[in-house]
């Protein structure tokens, strides 16, 4: 369950389903952020201020949208699919000499 925060990145990175929650009681700025995140991931947010929800598969993952989101907002293009600490360790190994 998500609104609009960087925690969305973790769901994308680990290919987990997301359900976006929105409300008429949120500020317009916050609602727009939630709508932007959900649109980028091909999702329809649930309006929690309403008792009526669209019948859609909220746990479905759009693989192409997740891939594009990751490329646009999370990682540098053409960077390795490796944890950052491994990239850093490899850099240190390659650029240091031990006498």
């Amino acid at each position: 369950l998500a609104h609009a925060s960087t925690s969305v990145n973790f769901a994308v990175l680990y290919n987990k389903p997301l359900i976006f929650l929105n409300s008429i009681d949120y500020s317009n700025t916050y609602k727009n952020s939630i709508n932007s995140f959900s649109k980028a991931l091909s999702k329809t947010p649930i309006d929690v201020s309403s008792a009526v929800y669209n019948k859609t598969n909220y746990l479905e993952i759009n693989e192409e949208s997740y891939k594009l989101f990751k490329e646009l907002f999370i990682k540098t293009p053409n960077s390795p699919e490796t944890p950052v600490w491994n990239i850093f360790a490899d850099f240190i190994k390659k650029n240091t000499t031990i006498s």
Side-chain angles (χ1 to χ4, degrees):
L1 301 174
H3 292 96
S5 74
T6 54
S7 63
V8 170
N9 295 350
F10 292 103
V12 172
L13 288 171
Y14 293 104
N15 211 35
K16 299 296 181 186
L18 280 163
I19 298 173
F20 287 94
L21 304 176
N22 213 339
S23 172
I24 60 171
D25 297 322
Y26 297 158
S27 71
N28 284 334
T29 302
Y30 198 47
K31 287 190 286 190
N32 290 338
S33 294
I34 294 166
N35 289 331
S36 294
F37 273 83
S38 60
K39 183 177 179 181
L41 292 167
S42 302
K43 295 288 194 171
T44 302
I46 295 174
D47 182 354
V48 295
S49 56
S50 170
V52 179
Y53 304 120
N54 296 336
K55 291 186 178 184
T56 184
N57 186 354
Y58 288 105
L59 298 179
E60 184 177 292
I61 294 172
N62 183 305
E63 299 287 340
E64 190 58 35
S65 295
Y66 271 49
K67 181 180 180 229
L68 184 60
F69 188 92
K70 187 161 93 172
E71 290 173 1
L72 290 174
F73 302 111
I74 299 176
K75 66 183 288 288
T76 303
N78 303 316
S79 62
E81 292 286 336
T82 304
V84 68
W85 51 86
N86 288 349
I87 295 170
F88 181 70
D90 291 343
F91 173 81
I92 295 297
K93 287 177 192 173
K94 191 183 334 177
N95 293 291
T96 59
T97 55
I98 300 175
S99 307

